[in-house]
Amino acid sequence: TLRIIDVGCSVGVSTHYLANAFPNASSIIGFDLSPHFLSVAMKRQKDASNINYDKIEWCHGNAENPPQEWTAATGQFDLTAASFLFHELPTEPTKNILRKMISITRSGGVIAITDNDPRSEVIMNLPAPIFTLMKSTEPHSDDYYQFGLEMALVDLGCFDVRTVPTDPRHRTILARVP
């Protein structure tokens, strides 16, 4: 029984991807702070009429304070994912959310984080005006690019931490929970 949660799911694009990638999952939760984004996700789910999406449940809440029952042994997830969330956040909420992601993931389970790759040659070589424009819409990008998600996961006890390039600008970090 594979239980999956998509933290910061927004309008559910990544949640639907997870449902298609893991059609045998017993449950998939899309979890987000925005009621508006969740309503769009629900509408997209309804309009898609994909049998893989039937098991998706949408949950409103703050990733820094997920429901207490998710940390109990019976409420833990096998795969805890977050897509394009952390570049939007300052450092302290990032640390808090990483701790919570670990606390809701079962021992031996996997955390998967897809986001911008600070080591991307495309990002590192952006012309200054484009980089400035990008930063104007992403106020916490400096924090993100200096933070080091991989090392933070290791410091929090995760093991088998690896980074996989997903395209020229993005990466996926995979980590096992102790």
Side-chain angles (χ1 to χ4, degrees), residues 3-21:
R3 299 188 65 228
I4 300 170
I5 184 164
D6 187 13
V7 176
C9 68
S10 184
V11 298
V13 173
S14 52
T15 318
H16 289 161
Y17 176 82
L18 289 165
N20 287 327

Side-chain angles (χ1 to χ4, degrees), residues 84-119:
F84 301 101
L85 171 67
F86 291 106
H87 75 274
E88 302 280 354
L89 302 173
T91 300
E92 284 310 308
T94 294
K95 291 177 183 177
N96 294 338
I97 291 170
L98 288 174
R99 277 188 213 95
K100 291 300 181 176
M101 287 176 69
I102 290 167
S103 76
I104 64 173
T105 306
R106 72 167 175 77
S107 178
V110 173
I111 290 179
I113 299 169
T114 300
D115 215 317
N116 297 340
D117 185 351
R119 294 176 297 270

Side-chain angles (χ1 to χ4, degrees), residues 4-6 9 15 28-32 38 56-60:
I4 300 170
I5 184 164
D6 187 13
C9 68
T15 318
I28 300 172
I29 294 176
F31 185 58
D32 202 271
L38 289 171
I56 298 173
E57 175 184 340
W58 305 102
C59 184
H60 174 251

Side-chain angles (χ1 to χ4, degrees), residues 88-159:
E88 302 280 354
L89 302 173
T91 300
E92 284 310 308
T94 294
K95 291 177 183 177
N96 294 338
I97 291 170
L98 288 174
R99 277 188 213 95
K100 291 300 181 176
M101 287 176 69
I102 290 167
S103 76
I104 64 173
T105 306
R106 72 167 175 77
S107 178
V110 173
I111 290 179
I113 299 169
T114 300
D115 215 317
N116 297 340
D117 185 351
R119 294 176 297 270
S120 159
E121 298 226 2
V122 172
I123 293 174
M124 289 191 308
N125 293 317
L126 281 174
I130 302 294
F131 192 71
T132 301
L133 181 62
M134 185 179 81
K135 284 175 54 173
S136 72
T137 62
E138 304 290 350
H140 303 292
S141 59
D142 283 342
D143 288 346
Y144 173 77
Y145 290 127
Q146 294 173 15
F147 179 63
L149 284 168
E150 294 96 336
M151 189 50 66
L153 288 164
V154 169
D155 290 346
L156 290 168
C158 291
F159 63 98

Side-chain angles (χ1 to χ4, degrees), residues 53-79:
Y53 301 166
D54 291 348
K55 68 186 98 202
I56 298 173
E57 175 184 340
W58 305 102
C59 184
H60 174 251
N62 184 331
E64 290 181 88
N65 191 24
Q68 188 66 34
E69 62 268 17
W70 290 357
T71 59
T74 57
Q76 291 186 322
F77 298 93
D78 301 289
L79 172 60

